[in-house]
């Protein structure tokens, strides 16, 4: 699922802490992905519920082969919630971005998240 947050020709501005508006919490499907763009950077958001609902963000382009992670599924591997790259099946930790396979050889760029009411903000 893809949700355009702003018109592509308009440069988004960060808040006073360097966070950019990403999406409304209700627009991110539970246990699924939402692809967004912040100033031309493709980012994927994940909303999962274990004990409580959490949102994670990472670069949408897989560091291994460049496949879009927004098409992947979320799985638990050794107690760690991961996104499975649809290109080659590599599992990346939602929390750290580190790959489960190959001793963490691949590391996805992750982004800090903050919530403001019903909004999700991402720090690039």
């Amino acid at each position: 699922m893809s949700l355009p947050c702003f018109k592509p020709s308009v440069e988004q501005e960060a808040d006073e802490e360097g966070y950019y508006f990403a999406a409304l919490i209700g627009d991110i499907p539970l246990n699924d992905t939402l692809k967004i763009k912040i100033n031309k950077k493709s980012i994927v958001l994940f909303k999962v519920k274990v004990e409580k609902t959490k949102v994670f963000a990472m670069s949408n382009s897989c560091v291994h082969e460049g496949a879009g992670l927004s098409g992947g599924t979320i799985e638990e591997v050794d107690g760690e919630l991961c996104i499975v790259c649809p290109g080659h099946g590599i599992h990346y930790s939602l929390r750290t971005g580190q790959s489960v396979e190959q001793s963490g050889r691949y590391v996805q760029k992750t982004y800090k998240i903050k919530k403001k009411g019903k909004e999700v903000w991402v720090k690039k």
Side-chain angles (χ1 to χ4, degrees), residues 26-91:
D27 290 335
I28 308 168
L30 186 61
N31 298 319
D32 206 347
T33 64
L34 177 69
K35 183 174 82 169
I36 62 164
K37 284 202 179 222
I38 296 177
N39 295 338
K40 300 181 183 177
K41 192 164 287 274
S42 184
I43 296 172
V44 62
L45 301 175
F46 311 94
K47 182 170 72 175
V48 293
K49 185 169 185 172
V50 182
E51 293 172 11
K52 64 180 186 172
T53 302
K54 288 190 168 193
V55 177
F56 299 91
M58 68 175 56
S59 172
N60 186 46
S61 181
C62 175
V63 295
H64 175 238
E65 290 286 330
L69 295 179
S70 62
T73 57
I74 298 171
E75 296 179 0
E76 187 175 328
V77 179
D78 297 330
E80 190 76 34
L81 286 172
C82 299
I83 182 70
V84 182
C85 175
H88 290 91
I90 292 177
H91 293 77

Side-chain angles (χ1 to χ4, degrees), residues 1 12-13 15 25 59 72 77 88 90 92 96 111 113 122:
M1 179 179 203
Q12 287 173 257
E13 291 189 28
D15 69 5
I25 190 78
S59 172
V77 179
H88 290 91
I90 292 177
Y92 293 101
T96 67
Y111 300 94
I113 293 282
V122 174

